[in-house]
């Protein structure tokens, strides 16, 4: 049995983490460009340190990244050599609308992605396009405070319309927002939100849920528009997944884990089912942070649920009731406690292959819609050996175990899974740390944290391994 025919194998990237070329092609500046590497990054991405321009005291890794802007033909050639059937990429919003509020799009930006899609077509690689992978134009942050404002919906839809019309012949698979739930954990990165002096914790929560509401409305309207412009379009939501395990069978831990899971599923509950779930309505109202809604909003959400559900999976989380003295774990910007049964990556992220099967089942049981794993992988330090080769057996081991568990979910549990795109298929800048040395790729890029490197691409050992995985439709692991 194994994976069904038509299962899509490939890799995933995001514009701000791999393209570079931020001052080229008429591109404007976005939040993602001004997130520095180093100690201040965390305060900036969480909206607690205002940085809307670059300064000399910081380095900004997105500026050059791995320069896919000039290397995309080479990257796509290598993806094709691996046998990719799908390539998940994102659009840098400010290549298309440099300030965000222009009436007309920037032709040079549109041309860039058109060439990228033509190249995909040449190799029979289907693009899976993330419309917004954390980007928010600085112009719109200055004008209206990013997604705090409902005005953003109109600007976002302007972008969508241009993309759906212009790329009609190349793209049928879209994601509206990358990891939409990240807005709760990294609101500047997720929604261009900078908190102002005097905004206390409760106000911060309110702002985040109001911004989330705007994104949810924008997402639903984008789904509707995509279907109207091309009935062949399939649009997915995308969230950072990873089941929340109770730390113990103590009911208080179980209850806390359940609530953490609900907080995470909140967005997908709205995007897949078309309405605010009752737990969210009650809790947000009880806290006094229920978002302001327009009369038409309920109808907007109801009429356009997503066609499929995409998610990233790096790890599960382990949740203990408040007051617990358990050690905290790292992991994709979420707070959780250390799971004593799991080993961790060099960056402290738990490694839990069975967790991908658990998560797939949980999500499928909850929504009964096709799923797509659009990010998964191991961020690790790669050291070329004396011959310049990278023997990344640790990455192969991670991916093998995750794919095996994913296969079991499909084959034995009957989960409807459309495809799998490994994260950072070509090395790129880390979103959480801004580091280059946290690498995920099958393709090594000679680029380092101090900015040095030739940008040359080379194949790691995992390159040949993944090639066989794809060629055998997941049979040879
Ligand atoms: C997700 C993001 C990606 C990505 C990945 C890995 O949160 O969607 O953009 O980078 O995580 O995280 P990191 O780069 O922090 O290792």
């Amino acid at each position: 049995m194994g994976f069904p025919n038509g299962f899509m194998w490939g890799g995933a990237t995001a514009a701000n983490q791999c393209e570079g070329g931020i001052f080229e092609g008429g591109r404007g500046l976005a939040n993602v460009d001004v997130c520095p590497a180093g100690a201040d990054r965390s305060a900036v991405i969480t909206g607690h340190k205002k940085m809307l321009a670059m300064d000399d005291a910081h380095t900004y890794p997105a500026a050059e990244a791995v320069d896919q802007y000039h290397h995309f033909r080479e990257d796509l050639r290598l993806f094709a050599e691996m046998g990719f059937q799908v390539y998940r990429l994102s659009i840098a919003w400010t290549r298309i609308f440099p300030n965000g509020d222009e009436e007309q799009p920037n032709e040079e930006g549109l041309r860039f992605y058109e060439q990228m899609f033509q190249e995909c077509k040449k190799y029979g690689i289907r693009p899976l396009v993330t419309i917004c992978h954390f980007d928010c134009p600085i112009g719109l942050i200055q004008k209206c405070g990013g997604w705090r404002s409902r005005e953003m919906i109109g600007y976002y839809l302007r972008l969508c319309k241009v993309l759906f019309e212009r790329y009609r012949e190349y793209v049928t698979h879209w994601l509206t927002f990358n990891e939409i739930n990240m807005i709760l954990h990294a609101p500047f990165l997720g929604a261009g939100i900078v908190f102002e002096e005097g905004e206390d914790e409760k106000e911060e929560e309110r702002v985040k849920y109001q911004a989330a509401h705007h994104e949810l409305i924008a997402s639903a309207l984008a789904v509707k528009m995509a279907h109207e412009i091309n009935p062949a379009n399939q649009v997915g939501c995308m969230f950072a997944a990873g089941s929340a395990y109770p730390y113990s069978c103590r009911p208080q831990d179980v209850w806390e884990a359940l609530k953490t899971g609900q907080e995470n599923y909140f967005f997908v509950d709205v995007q897949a089912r078309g309405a605010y779930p009752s737990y969210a309505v009650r809790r947000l109202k009880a806290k006094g942070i229920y978002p302001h809604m327009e009369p038409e909003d309920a109808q907007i959400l109801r009429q356009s649920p997503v066609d499929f559900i995409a998610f990233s999976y790096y790890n599960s989380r382990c949740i203990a009731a408040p007051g617990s003295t358990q050690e905290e774990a790292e992991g994709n910007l979420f707070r959780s406690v250390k799971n004593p049964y799991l080993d961790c990556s060099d960056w402290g992220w738990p490694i839990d292959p069975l967790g991908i099967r658990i998560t797939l089942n949980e999500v499928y049981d909850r929504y009964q819609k096709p799923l797509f794993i659009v990010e998964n992988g191991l961020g690790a330090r790669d050291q070329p050996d004396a011959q310049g080769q990278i023997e990344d057996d640790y990455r192969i081991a991670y991916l093998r175990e995750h794919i095996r568990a994913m296969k079991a979910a499909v084959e034995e549990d009957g989960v409807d899974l459309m495809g799998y795109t490994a994260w950072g298929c070509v090395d790129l800048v880390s979103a959480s740390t801004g580091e280059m040395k946290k690498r995920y790729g099958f393709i090594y890029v000679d680029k380092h944290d101090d900015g040095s490197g030739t940008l040359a691409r080379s194949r790691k050992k995992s390159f040949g391994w993944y090639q066989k995985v794809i060629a055998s439709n997941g049979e040879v692991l």
Side-chain angles (χ1 to χ4, degrees):
M1 265 219 302
F3 290 101
N5 284 338
F7 186 84
M8 291 180 260
W9 295 95
T13 60
N16 73 86
Q17 292 170 258
C18 71
E19 258 178 30
I22 66 170
F23 300 112
E24 292 179 66
R27 184 184 180 287
L29 215 57
N31 58 341
V32 284
D33 304 324
V34 297
C35 294
D40 285 335
R41 186 174 183 87
S42 168
V44 172
I45 67 176
T46 54
H48 294 117
K49 182 176 171 65
K50 186 170 186 169
M51 188 168 278
L52 297 186
M54 295 169 156
D55 65 25
D56 293 336
H58 294 87
T59 55
Y60 299 91
E64 187 186 47
V66 294
D67 196 28
Q68 197 183 58
Y69 190 63
H70 296 108
H71 290 75
F72 71 92
R73 290 183 205 281
E74 187 182 349
D75 288 349
L76 280 162
R77 192 163 61 237
L78 287 163
F79 297 159
E81 188 183 323
M82 262 188 287
F84 278 21
Q85 293 138 355
V86 57
Y87 174 41
R88 174 180 176 227
L89 72 156
S90 80
I91 303 284
W93 187 333
T94 52
R95 281 202 192 287
I96 313 298
F97 289 103
N99 203 54
D101 61 354
E102 293 86 347
E103 291 295 330
Q104 294 304 321
N106 170 32
E107 179 55 30
E108 223 179 322
L110 286 170
R111 266 303 291 156
F112 170 66
Y113 293 108
E114 194 160 57
Q115 287 171 0
M116 183 95 108
F117 297 142
Q118 283 165 347
E119 209 64 10
C120 286
K121 193 170 178 182
K122 182 167 113 190
Y123 296 117
I125 297 174
R126 185 195 293 269
L128 168 60
V129 175
T130 316
I131 296 166
C132 181
H133 194 123
F134 297 150
D135 311 50
C136 185
I138 293 286
L140 295 181
I141 298 176
Q142 278 160 342
K143 184 170 181 176
C144 61
W147 284 94
R148 278 173 186 265
S149 164
R150 196 173 170 103
E151 271 180 64
M152 285 296 289
I153 299 172
Y155 299 125
Y156 174 84
L157 291 173
R158 197 179 287 179
L159 172 70
C160 290
K161 185 162 190 291
V162 168
L163 301 181
F164 296 152
E165 285 175 350
R166 177 71 175 243
Y167 302 130
R168 197 176 188 279
E169 67 169 300
Y170 300 108
V171 185
T172 49
H173 287 67
W174 306 88
L175 301 174
T176 54
F177 289 93
N178 179 63
E179 292 188 340
I180 190 163
N181 51 329
M182 208 48 95
I183 200 173
L184 301 178
H185 309 279
F188 181 68
L189 190 64
I193 293 168
V194 183
F195 295 112
E196 304 296 340
E197 195 111 337
E199 287 186 319
D200 61 10
E201 213 175 303
K202 177 178 166 191
E203 181 58 11
E204 286 192 7
E205 281 286 291
R206 191 198 64 77
V207 167
K208 287 191 281 189
Y209 276 98
Q210 186 65 55
H213 180 69
H214 297 147
E215 288 195 355
L216 289 166
I217 295 293
S219 176
L221 289 169
V223 173
K224 181 166 183 274
M225 184 193 282
H227 291 156
E228 282 165 3
I229 291 176
N230 182 2
N233 273 333
Q234 291 192 49
V235 190
C237 57
M238 189 314 193
F239 78 113
S243 296
Y245 301 165
Y247 179 75
S248 75
C249 52
R250 195 163 70 108
Q252 287 82 349
D253 285 350
V254 177
W255 172 235
E256 204 58 32
L258 188 128
K259 279 197 300 181
T260 302
Q262 286 177 325
E263 183 189 275
N264 217 34
Y265 285 127
F266 159 68
F267 298 87
V268 192
D269 283 352
V270 179
Q271 290 174 295
R273 296 166 168 168
Y276 272 49
S278 46
Y279 64 82
V281 175
R282 295 293 168 93
R283 287 186 202 142
L284 296 176
K285 281 188 175 163
K287 282 189 181 170
I289 58 171
Y290 190 70
H292 173 79
M293 296 189 191
E294 296 302 325
E296 65 273 23
D297 286 1
Q299 163 73 5
I300 291 172
L301 295 176
R302 198 176 324 116
Q303 71 186 359
S304 303
V306 288
D307 302 309
F308 66 95
I309 295 163
F311 62 82
S312 60
Y313 175 86
Y314 292 93
N315 49 258
S316 54
R317 287 177 295 153
C318 188
I319 307 296
S324 149
T325 52
Q326 301 307 322
E327 196 189 334
E328 283 211 352
E330 305 283 326
N332 215 357
L333 298 170
F334 292 101
R335 292 234 160 279
S336 57
V337 298
K338 216 168 161 39
N339 184 329
Y341 299 99
L342 300 176
D343 292 332
C344 290
S345 75
D346 290 347
W347 273 263
W349 293 20
I351 298 177
D352 181 11
L354 181 54
I356 206 170
R357 182 175 182 181
I358 294 169
T359 300
L360 277 163
N361 274 276
E362 202 172 276
V363 180
Y364 192 58
D365 283 351
R366 195 169 179 117
Y367 303 111
Q368 301 283 308
K369 286 195 186 245
L371 308 183
F372 207 137
I373 296 178
V374 295
E375 285 186 33
N376 172 237
L378 179 70
R381 282 188 188 85
D382 292 327
Q383 278 307 337
D385 64 16
Q387 287 73 46
Q389 299 296 316
I390 288 158
E391 306 271 333
D392 54 345
D393 293 294
Y394 37 91
R395 180 168 296 109
I396 295 173
Y398 176 101
L399 293 169
R400 176 187 290 130
E401 291 312 312
H402 282 75
I403 293 173
R404 200 168 269 158
M406 167 173 99
K407 192 172 175 197
V410 172
E411 206 170 41
E412 295 171 40
D413 311 332
V415 170
D416 181 1
L417 186 62
M418 298 164 71
Y420 175 85
T421 55
W423 174 251
C425 44
V426 54
D427 286 347
L428 40 63
V429 175
S430 156
S432 58
T433 70
E435 289 167 316
M436 215 27 251
K437 66 171 175 286
K438 188 180 188 190
R439 296 172 183 273
Y440 286 86
F442 304 110
I443 299 165
Y444 183 80
V445 182
D446 183 34
K447 171 80 196 272
H448 308 280
D449 284 327
D450 61 3
S452 67
T454 61
L455 298 167
R457 272 69 172 151
S458 56
R459 299 166 187 80
K460 301 181 196 176
K461 186 174 177 183
S462 55
F463 184 102
W465 172 81
Y466 196 46
Q467 194 176 42
K468 291 199 188 79
V469 173
I470 298 177
S472 65
N473 197 22
E475 288 305 307
V476 177
L477 290 170

